């Protein structure tokens, strides 16, 4: 019995997360009730509380999951790119290119999670907001470290690495608002256009 | 009497818009009721319906007002800059610089309207969405025309003017998420950093 119950909640958890994400993205966190989420999953509202203590915890868990997944995926990607480049100058440019392409691809694959990560910050409790902001800063710092290294090596000209980091991330996030697969440009072409702009914007 | 009533609604209209904007930005359109807006203005809910037929019309009117104000302000700004530059090459770069600085300043002065312009698109009816999208495209086309002219004159290198337009606007919009007046950098310095990046990203 314990085994069956375990399996059951293993399946229900991801489904709760999927439906909550979809509903929050569609209607906004404030407009969605736990009852609506339960109904979309096909369980009683009470069953939801076996999984999460309240709607705020669910929102936080979704946003935290998104950010930790992002960080883990980036560290893996960066390591792969760094291994290939030969000298420090080529390495830092390879990392910048990797970041540009990775950021676009990772976020395009998760439109609902991205939407919520930005839109629902205002609905986080103070502690939860601080925790998410700290994860977001960790990700921004990963790019900022690349820019600083590029400046140190003399291959990038970046008067203010902090601002340039925010500018690049905002620019790349913009792709989410218009890109549709099967459109005029392939993902590869889009990545190429953005990489060209990012690289040139920091040219020595 | 007619005169007094006219004056009264002249004052109430802007106050309804101000409070609705603030409440929509703070809690999200879906979570705010007409009753709450009326209460914030200090009138009965019924009085709101003298001003607007429903909440959807109010949202649309706020977003449409923001976009038409943006377009009018830009055309005025562009004309002023264009008058100063001497040759076509200088003129097109002056327009690009004007757009960069104007976009940052205009939007920083209106955080609630900007927030709503992006966040509440999903809550517009289909017709209203189409109307707002068409105004937004008009604004994007203003920048795209500058990029195309720059390419034609050989002073800008922009492989895809449409994508570059969206990339630049997204990058500039990013300022709204972090800039606080009285912080480390003045608005003038921030504009300068972004203009440097925009210009270089399109360098021949």
């Amino acid at each position: 019995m314990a085994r069956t119950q375990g399996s059951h909640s293993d399946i229900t958890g991801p489904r709760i997360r999927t439906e909550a994400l979809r509903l929050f993205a569609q209607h906004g966190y404030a407009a969605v009730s736990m009852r609506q989420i339960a109904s979309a999953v096909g369980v009683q509202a009470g069953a939801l509380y076996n999984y999460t203590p309240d709607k705020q915890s669910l929102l936080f868990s979704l946003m935290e999951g998104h950010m930790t997944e992002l960080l883990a995926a980036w560290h893996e990607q960066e390591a792969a790119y760094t291994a290939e480049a030969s000298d420090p100058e080529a390495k830092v440019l390879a990392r910048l290119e990797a970041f540009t392409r990775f950021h676009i691809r990772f976020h395009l694959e998760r439109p609902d999670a991205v939407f919520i990560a930005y839109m629902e910050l205002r609905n986080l409790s103070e502690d939860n907001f601080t925790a998410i902001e700290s994860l977001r800063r960790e990700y921004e710092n990963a790019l900022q470290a690349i820019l600083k290294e590029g400046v140190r090596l003399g291959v990038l000209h970046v008067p203010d690495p902090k601002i340039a980091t925010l500018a690049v991330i905002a620019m790349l996030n913009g792709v989410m608002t218009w890109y549709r697969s099967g459109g005029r440009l392939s993902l590869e072409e889009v990545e190429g256009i953005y990489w060209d702009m990012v690289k040139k914007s920091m040219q020595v």
Side-chain angles (χ1 to χ4, degrees), chain A:
Chain A
M1 272 303 268
R3 179 91 188 269
T4 311
Q5 281 201 342
S7 308
H8 178 67
S9 79
D10 282 358
I11 298 163
T12 309
R15 284 184 53 219
I16 292 172
R17 299 177 73 83
T18 304
E19 292 302 326
L21 195 63
R22 191 180 60 76
L23 288 168
F24 289 163
Q26 196 174 343
H27 306 290
Y29 170 79
V32 174
S33 67
M34 289 290 268
R35 189 173 295 272
Q36 271 174 281
I37 299 169
S39 157
V41 177
V43 297
Q44 297 291 318
L48 236 58
Y49 293 97
N50 292 333
Y51 178 73
T52 182
D54 50 43
K55 196 170 70 154
Q56 172 67 213
S57 305
L58 186 52
L59 176 64
F60 175 68
S61 165
L62 290 171
M63 291 172 82
E64 192 194 31
H66 173 68
M67 288 308 299
T68 51
E69 200 190 334
L70 171 69
L71 283 162
W74 164 243
H75 289 311
E76 196 179 306
Q77 191 80 8
E78 188 179 31
Y81 264 79
T82 314
E84 280 174 29
S86 49
D87 55 90
E89 287 80 6
K91 207 166 267 204
V92 80
L93 289 177
R95 282 164 74 201
L96 184 55
E97 178 171 1
F99 188 94
T100 302
R101 294 182 182 274
F102 164 79
H103 187 92
I104 292 173
R105 255 173 296 133
F106 185 90
H107 289 90
L108 272 181
E109 285 163 4
R110 294 159 182 84
D112 284 352
V114 171
F115 191 75
I116 282 171
Y118 284 83
M119 300 320 117
E120 300 297 2
L121 279 174
R122 61 180 171 180
N123 282 316
L124 286 175
S125 71
E126 209 179 310
D127 285 356
N128 287 345
F129 180 82
T130 305
I132 297 298
E133 276 300 282
S134 143
L135 289 169
R136 180 153 35 167
R137 201 153 307 122
E138 194 180 328
Y139 183 65
E140 290 169 0
N141 286 346
L143 175 55
Q144 201 177 324
I146 299 173
L147 304 191
K148 283 182 172 171
E149 175 74 354
V151 169
R152 196 181 66 79
L153 293 168
V155 291
L156 297 178
H157 173 76
V158 186
D160 194 310
K162 171 111 190 118
I163 307 295
T165 293
L166 299 172
V168 166
I169 290 178
M171 185 171 102
L172 302 179
N173 282 343
V175 180
M176 258 68 68
T177 63
W178 61 265
Y179 184 79
R180 299 291 171 273
S181 72
R184 178 168 65 90
L185 297 165
S186 72
L187 182 53
E188 186 69 21
E189 287 171 312
V190 170
E191 286 178 23
I193 291 171
Y194 278 81
W195 166 231
D196 180 63
M197 289 184 75
V198 167
K199 185 176 47 183
K200 281 169 67 184
S201 75
M202 300 180 186
Q203 217 157 250
V204 178

